[in-house]
Amino acid sequence: MTAVAPVGSRSARVRRDGRTLAFVWLVTLSLSSLPAILAVELAGVAPLAAHWVTLGAAPALAAVAWTWRPARPVARYLGVMVVVFCVAHLLPPLLGHLTAAGGSDLSRALATKTVFLLVAAAVAAVLVRGLRMAPREAFLAPGDLAAPSGLRLPGTSRELSWAVLGPLAAGALLALLATTTWLDSGLQPASLERLVPVLPLVIVCAAFNAMGEEVVYRSGPLATVVGVVSPGQAVLLTSAWFGLAHYSGSVPDGFGGVLQSGVLALLLGGAMVATKGLGWPFLLHFAVDLVVFASIAVVGT
C-alpha cells in the first residue's frame, strides 16, 4: 500500500510550490514582449495591436489566480505585472504623440522621461499605500549599500561587499558601453564638443530613466514575487521580462538587445535583492543610461 503524504508534508509543499512557480513563469511570459515578438515575426501583426491582444490574457490569468489555490499567492504579482505591461507597451505610443512636435531628440526624451518618472512615483505609491508595503519591503529605500555580494575574490575566502563591487561594476559598465558605442558609431573626437553644452540634460534624462525603470520594472515586480518564489527565481523572472522588452524600440534591440539587457537585469536584480533597496541598481542603471543618452545627444542634435 502506497503512503499518501499529508497535506502539510514537505512533498505536498514541493508539489504546491512547483505549480506556483509554473504559474509565475506563465504570468511573466504572457505579460512580456514574447507574445508580441512571435505575432510580429511569424504573422506580421502590428506591434501595438499585438500588445493589446496580449493584454486580453490578463482576465484569464486573474481568473486562475482567483480560483486555483496554488496560483493565489501570485495575485499581487499579477496585478503589478499588468500595470508594468501597460506602462512598458501601451504608454510609450501615447507619449510619442504628445511629445512628437518640435525640439531635439534629447529634449523630447526629457519630456517622455519626466512623465515616466511621474508614473513611477504613482507605482511606488501603489506599492506603499495600496499594498501596504514598507519602503524597504518594496525595494524603494536606498538599501544597505555595503551589503555582502556573495562573490569572493579568486583564491581567497574574503567576500566582496557592494560598497566595493558597486563602484567597480558601475565603472566597468560605463567604460565598456562607452567604448563599444564609440566604435560602433564611428564618432570622431570632435563629436564630443557637441556633448558638452547638453551634458546637464543628458544627466537628467539618464537619472529620470534609471529611477523610473528601476521602480516600475524591478522594485514592483520583485517586491511582489520575492516572497512567492526564491530570490534567485525572482531575479531570473524579472530579468527574462526585462530582456524581452528590449527586442524592439529600445537601445539595444534585437536578439542582442534581449541578451545584453537580460544579463544587465540579472546584475541589477541581484543587487536589489542583496541590498534590499534600489541604491546600487539605480546607480548601475544610471551609468548605462549616461552612455545611451550621450549617444542620443551626439548623434541626434
Side-chain angles (χ1 to χ4, degrees):
M1 180 177 179
T2 304
V4 178
V7 173
S9 70
R10 181 179 182 277
S11 59
R13 289 197 301 272
V14 168
R15 287 196 300 271
R16 181 195 65 196
D17 291 346
R19 294 190 298 247
T20 302
L21 178 60
F23 185 68
V24 171
W25 272 104
L26 177 64
V27 167
T28 303
L29 295 179
S30 296
L31 294 175
S32 73
S33 296
L34 182 59
I37 292 171
L38 295 177
V40 170
E41 297 295 340
L42 300 181
V45 178
L48 185 57
H51 288 314
W52 277 108
V53 172
T54 297
L55 188 60
L61 293 170
V64 174
W66 181 266
T67 58
W68 190 40
R69 186 183 297 272
R72 287 176 188 169
V74 189
R76 291 201 308 174
Y77 176 68
L78 171 59
V80 167
M81 291 306 294
V82 170
V83 173
V84 167
F85 180 88
C86 292
V87 172
H89 301 300
L90 304 182
L91 181 63
L94 176 62
L95 293 181
H97 289 301
L98 294 176
T99 61
S104 65
D105 291 343
L106 197 60
S107 62
R108 289 194 297 272
L110 177 62
T112 59
K113 297 313 174 184
T114 300
V115 175
F116 183 48
L117 188 63
L118 295 175
V119 171
V123 170
V126 169
L127 293 173
V128 175
R129 300 285 186 178
L131 299 183
R132 301 180 183 232
M133 303 178 78
R136 186 176 177 86
E137 182 186 7
F139 299 116
L140 295 174
D144 182 4
L145 300 182
S149 69
L151 298 177
R152 287 179 169 80
L153 293 172
T156 71
S157 59
R158 182 182 176 184
E159 186 173 355
L160 288 175
S161 75
W162 272 100
V164 175
L165 181 60
L168 291 176
L173 285 171
L174 183 63
L176 179 62
L177 188 57
T179 301
T180 56
T181 301
W182 183 277
L183 294 176
D184 289 344
S185 302
L187 296 174
Q188 301 299 319
S191 302
L192 292 178
E193 296 178 2
R194 298 160 60 184
L195 177 62
V196 175
V198 294
L199 188 57
L201 194 56
V202 167
I203 293 173
V204 172
C205 285
F208 280 14
N209 188 68
M211 180 59 71
E213 291 202 356
E214 287 308 307
V215 170
V216 176
Y217 302 148
R218 213 155 339 266
S219 293
L222 277 176
T224 50
V225 78
V226 77
V228 178
V229 300
S230 70
Q233 281 287 340
V235 171
L236 189 59
L237 284 158
T238 54
S239 299
W241 187 96
F242 192 77
L244 289 167
H246 285 75
Y247 181 78
S248 63
S250 300
V251 179
D253 61 4
F255 290 109
V258 172
L259 180 60
Q260 293 174 49
S261 300
V263 171
L264 175 63
L266 287 173
L267 174 64
L268 301 178
M272 183 168 285
V273 169
T275 62
K276 295 181 173 55
L278 54 72
W280 279 121
F282 163 72
L283 291 171
L284 294 170
H285 202 145
F286 175 69
V288 171
D289 282 348
L290 272 178
V291 179
V292 172
F293 287 100
S295 175
I296 291 174
V298 171
V299 175
T301 53

